[in-house]
């Protein structure tokens, strides 16, 4: 069972940027599709972006044009570059396969606030 470890979260002002990183316990290119998800307080966990082996990407409407998902083979990570952050982006961010397994990491907290 592959395990993921998320990092890179923090407190940022509206309009700012953060780069999240997801380290996998196996070769990241052996996983067909990897997604970044987020869960805001009181809400369900939802998919934010995903990337396939061939590099194809899918984004939720709420982040399209602001977030970019990518794989880094050298570091064995899947990254999420988040630009023009909004208060509504505040959530705990997780990575997992797409479709997701039932095993989730601890996530990384992103707080967008002035």
């Amino acid at each position: 069972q592959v395990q993921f470890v998320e990092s890179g979260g923090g407190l940022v002002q509206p309009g700012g940027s953060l780069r999240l990183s997801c380290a996998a316990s196996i070769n990241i290119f052996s996983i067909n599709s990897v997604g970044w998800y987020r869960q805001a307080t009181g809400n369900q966990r939802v998919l934010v972006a995903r990337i396939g082996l061939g590099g194809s990407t899918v984004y939720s409407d709420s982040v399209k044009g602001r977030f970019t998902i990518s794989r880094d083979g050298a570091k064995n990570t899947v990254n999420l570059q988040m630009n023009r952050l909004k208060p509504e982006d505040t959530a705990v961010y997780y990575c997992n396969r797409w479709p997701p397994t039932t095993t989730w990491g601890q996530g990384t907290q992103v707080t967008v606030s002035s």
Side-chain angles (χ1 to χ4, degrees), residues 36 38 46-49 58-67 82-90 93:
W36 274 98
R38 69 186 181 189
V46 296
L47 178 71
V48 171
V58 175
Y59 298 93
S60 69
D61 287 344
S62 62
V63 307
K64 200 173 295 182
R66 299 188 298 122
F67 290 12
M82 307 187 297
N83 298 328
R84 303 200 313 273
L85 283 160
K86 304 175 181 180
E88 51 263 43
D89 295 317
T90 295
Y93 284 71

Side-chain angles (χ1 to χ4, degrees), residues 2-8 20-25 28 36 76-79 93-96 104-108:
V2 59
Q3 295 189 343
F4 298 97
V5 178
E6 304 89 350
S7 62
L20 305 184
S21 184
C22 168
S25 60
I28 203 72
W36 274 98
N76 203 43
T77 58
V78 174
N79 303 312
Y93 284 71
Y94 303 86
C95 60
N96 202 332
W104 294 88
Q106 293 196 338
T108 186

Side-chain angles (χ1 to χ4, degrees), residues 3 15 22 27 34 39-40 52-53 72 80-81 85 89 94 112:
Q3 295 189 343
C22 168
N27 186 332
V34 179
Q39 185 169 21
L53 269 181
D72 185 335
L80 187 69
Q81 178 66 43
L85 283 160
D89 295 317
Y94 303 86
V112 185

Side-chain angles (χ1 to χ4, degrees), residues 24-52:
S25 60
I26 63 174
N27 186 332
I28 203 72
F29 285 100
S30 69
I31 307 171
N32 258 345
S33 189
V34 179
W36 274 98
Y37 305 77
R38 69 186 181 189
Q39 185 169 21
T41 302
N43 290 352
Q44 289 189 335
R45 190 177 289 146
V46 296
L47 178 71
V48 171
R50 57 185 169 95
I51 184 167

